[in-house]
Amino acid sequence: MVRLRAKEGFDPMFAFLSAPDSSDRGAPEVRIAEPKPADLIRTTELGSGISVEIDLADPERWHSVTVQRWEQADLDLLELLIGPDAVRRLGELRSSARSSLGAEVSLDVVPTGPWQRIAVIDALDWWLQLPLEQALLDAERAVAQVRAAASLRPGPLRQQLTEQALVLARGSAAGFAGYLTELADSASSLPRALFSGLSRLAAGYAILGREVVDGPDNDLDLVAAAWSRLQAAVRVVPTFKPQDHSVSYRLSGEPSAGGAVVSSSVDPRQVRARIVDTDVLTKEVRMMRSDEGSAIRVMVPAFGPSLPAAVISDRLMVRLVDSRSGTAYEPVLLTLRSGRAAESLGATMPVFTELVPLRGAPLEDLRADVFEADNEAAPARTDTDSGLLRQRRAQFVLGEWRRAAAEARLSRGVKVRNRRLARLVDVLSQTTADADQPVFLGGPSPAEIVRLIDTADSPAANAIHLWFASSQGAGEPLVAELAAVYAGR
């Protein structure tokens, strides 16, 4: 293990090196990691065997950087991520016995702009349980990716990333252009923050258009035309007052627990955000005994009235977990029902549902674990599992904080934000026993949120906890987040 000396103000990171001829061929040859555990992390594959993790509580630095095979890695990219000196020294240490002696390596932690933004967007796409326009999120991901590619020297990786960005941009072009057209038809003015964000995305699409060498691109041109129309149709205003409505965190119509109905909690580690509905104070997954008693019907509410993409909804599964033994039974593919099919099951919104064999286990001893087909994480045994409860709090706080940050950006003030945060503290008081303890790994405590509400000065607020700077810089609100607040969602 090698200790990496970070710049002043940052904690050190550690590099774990394995020899190129290691018997464990599945292990990465280099992994640089932050020693502190965190709950809101997500891995992003960048190419040539290099992947990064970002912690949404501290997005101004990498949580980890992994190199699967050093000789196959694009060192130009690696230098952008950790600095040329660290790359040179790690290369030397890989072939030196001194790598086991705790040598120090200087780590360049200067923010890497679009590369961090790519990782932040990927992490928010997984964790952020807010009603976002997916086309806007994917458009921003494409723009960040082409700008990141431009920082590389010409070569295969730069070409690969640019082509991936074009695929993303084309795939989201219809939704992005449709959103711009809808605004042009319905809005007389737009707040400056949202207009600037949309302008940045449109400019990114123009950059992508210049990468097309075989003539005009109909998808990208669609966005350019819609953007021109919006510019001519609306005026830009400095601020916007978001709707300040009270939020209920309990699902309406939740069935009471009883002999025929048992509920389980969704684990946000197992299924990405905005697919199924979640609520920090309730259990969302319903298990109802069928008429014959040998099976149960599992029902999970979909996220809002808009149906998720088939590529995701067709991969959602459920497995029953015996809370006594920890045994996870054979998983079953869930089916998305909407309209009359959902109403016939007593649901007013789209639901994921299926009959699942009981296999002789008592219903009251089972937990229904909902997960995506390619997710290999082990299921929690019970709904009282500390990691599960902490992760649900983390996702909930993330959503409220990101919404509050977007409201503050649009209104250019903190009053609406502080009212939302005050309600957040009230909810957290029902789920956490100690106001001075962090709500999740990497997050603030309720007491620190209260201190933020009472602090008017921004630098002083950031000094209370790293979390309060997490929506700045690489973590600034997505255009999709600003759009959701503007739409009053």
Side-chain angles (χ1 to χ4, degrees):
M1 182 176 69
V2 180
R3 184 176 184 270
L4 301 178
R5 187 176 64 251
K7 294 183 68 174
E8 185 177 356
F10 289 88
D11 293 330
M13 299 178 77
F14 296 89
F16 302 87
L17 312 180
S18 64
D21 57 352
S22 170
S23 59
D24 185 2
R25 300 304 297 168
E29 290 185 2
V30 176
R31 176 174 170 79
I32 302 167
E34 159 68 55
K36 294 180 180 178
D39 281 324
L40 293 174
I41 59 173
R42 192 70 187 161
T43 301
T44 296
E45 302 287 342
L46 296 179
S48 74
I50 299 174
S51 61
V52 294
E53 282 182 335
I54 203 83
D55 176 13
L56 289 175
D58 185 13
E60 288 303 313
R61 60 174 297 171
W62 300 120
H63 189 74
S64 75
V65 178
T66 298
V67 182
Q68 199 65 28
R69 294 290 173 263
W70 185 269
E71 297 301 331
Q72 299 172 11
D74 187 301
L75 298 187
D76 183 22
L77 169 58
L78 201 55
E79 287 181 357
L80 290 170
L81 301 179
I82 65 173
D85 290 342
V87 171
R88 178 181 58 81
R89 291 289 289 122
L90 287 171
E92 294 171 352
L93 289 168
R94 279 187 65 255
S95 56
S96 170
R98 289 183 300 156
S99 62
S100 62
L101 301 180
E104 278 198 357
V105 179
S106 176
L107 178 63
D108 187 352
V109 292
V110 174
T112 52
W115 296 103
Q116 285 173 297
R117 188 62 172 173
I118 290 173
V120 167
I121 294 170
D122 280 358
L124 289 172
D125 195 13
W126 179 272
W127 292 112
L128 189 55
Q129 185 77 341
L130 292 181
L132 307 180
E133 290 280 353
Q134 189 67 38
L136 291 180
L137 190 150
D138 288 339
E140 188 155 2
R141 179 187 275 122
V143 170
Q145 193 157 309
V146 74
R147 287 178 171 157
S151 68
L152 294 169
R153 299 185 184 96
L157 182 58
R158 176 171 174 166
Q159 183 64 29
Q160 174 190 334
L161 291 172
T162 301
E163 290 173 355
Q164 289 175 355
L166 274 168
V167 170
L168 269 173
R170 287 169 177 149
S172 57
F176 183 19
Y179 176 76
L180 296 175
T181 300
E182 181 182 346
L183 285 180
D185 290 339
S186 61
S188 59
S189 65
L190 284 180
R192 187 175 305 281
L194 177 56
F195 185 87
S196 297
L198 293 171
S199 175
R200 176 168 48 82
L201 297 191
Y205 267 63
I207 293 172
L208 281 163
R210 293 194 286 272
E211 297 291 335
V212 179
V213 296
D214 54 354
D217 189 293
N218 292 335
D219 293 322
L220 304 185
D221 290 347
L222 191 67
V223 170
W227 172 242
S228 295
R229 185 180 171 205
L230 179 65
Q231 285 179 296
V234 301
R235 60 187 178 88
V236 179
V237 296
T239 62
F240 168 77
K241 185 177 180 180
Q243 295 183 23
D244 182 27
H245 50 79
S246 180
V247 179
S248 171
Y249 297 104
R250 286 198 177 276
L251 295 175
S252 61
E254 183 190 11
S256 58
V261 177
V262 175
S263 300
S264 291
S265 299
V266 171
D267 188 341
R269 297 169 296 189
Q270 301 282 20
V271 56
R272 70 185 65 234
R274 304 181 305 285
I275 303 300
V276 300
D277 209 355
T278 58
D279 189 299
V280 74
L281 295 181
T282 62
K283 298 179 180 181
E284 307 87 356
V285 186
R286 303 172 186 178
M287 295 182 286
M288 292 159 283
R289 194 181 299 274
S290 62
D291 293 337
E292 65 273 15
S294 61
I296 58 171
R297 177 164 292 281
V298 175
M299 294 178 60
V300 193
F303 182 76
S306 299
L307 300 181
V311 69
I312 297 174
S313 63
D314 289 349
R315 297 165 51 252
L316 202 61
M317 308 189 77
V318 65
R319 57 192 162 198
L320 300 181
V321 181
D322 191 319
S323 60
R324 300 167 303 175
S325 65
T327 301
Y329 296 104
E330 191 71 20
V332 173
L333 185 67
L334 289 168
T335 304
L336 181 60
R337 303 290 189 195
S338 61
R340 291 183 178 178
E343 291 172 3
S344 68
L345 299 171
T348 58
M349 300 283 282
V351 292
F352 294 92
T353 184
E354 198 53 72
L355 285 173
V356 182
L358 269 175
R359 304 186 187 281
L363 177 58
E364 59 271 17
D365 291 331
L366 294 175
R367 174 178 176 270
D369 183 63
V370 178
F371 67 103
E372 293 188 22
D374 58 354
N375 196 324
E376 299 179 355
R381 178 182 292 194
T382 68
D383 287 317
T384 57
D385 177 84
S386 60
L388 168 61
L389 294 175
R390 192 183 66 240
Q391 205 75 48
R392 284 168 62 84
R393 289 196 300 270
Q395 185 179 55
F396 171 68
V397 172
L398 174 71
E400 291 301 291
W401 172 254
R402 298 290 303 187
R403 193 193 298 266
E407 290 170 340
R409 179 66 62 89
L410 289 175
S411 65
R412 299 177 67 178
V414 297
K415 288 184 178 180
V416 175
R417 183 203 72 178
N418 286 348
R419 283 195 289 268
R420 179 175 294 280
L421 294 181
R423 292 195 296 266
L424 169 61
V425 173
D426 289 341
V427 174
L428 291 177
S429 67
Q430 303 176 49
T431 65
T432 53
D434 190 340
D436 293 317
Q437 290 299 311
V439 179
F440 58 92
L441 298 180
S445 67
E448 286 170 327
I449 299 175
V450 172
R451 285 175 57 197
L452 172 69
I453 296 171
D454 295 336
T455 302
D457 180 62
S458 181
N462 292 347
I464 296 172
H465 195 281
L466 273 174
W467 176 262
F468 302 134
S470 65
S471 54
Q472 303 169 14
E476 70 176 10
L478 304 175
V479 176
E481 293 178 88
L482 299 176
V485 170
Y486 177 73
R489 296 175 182 169

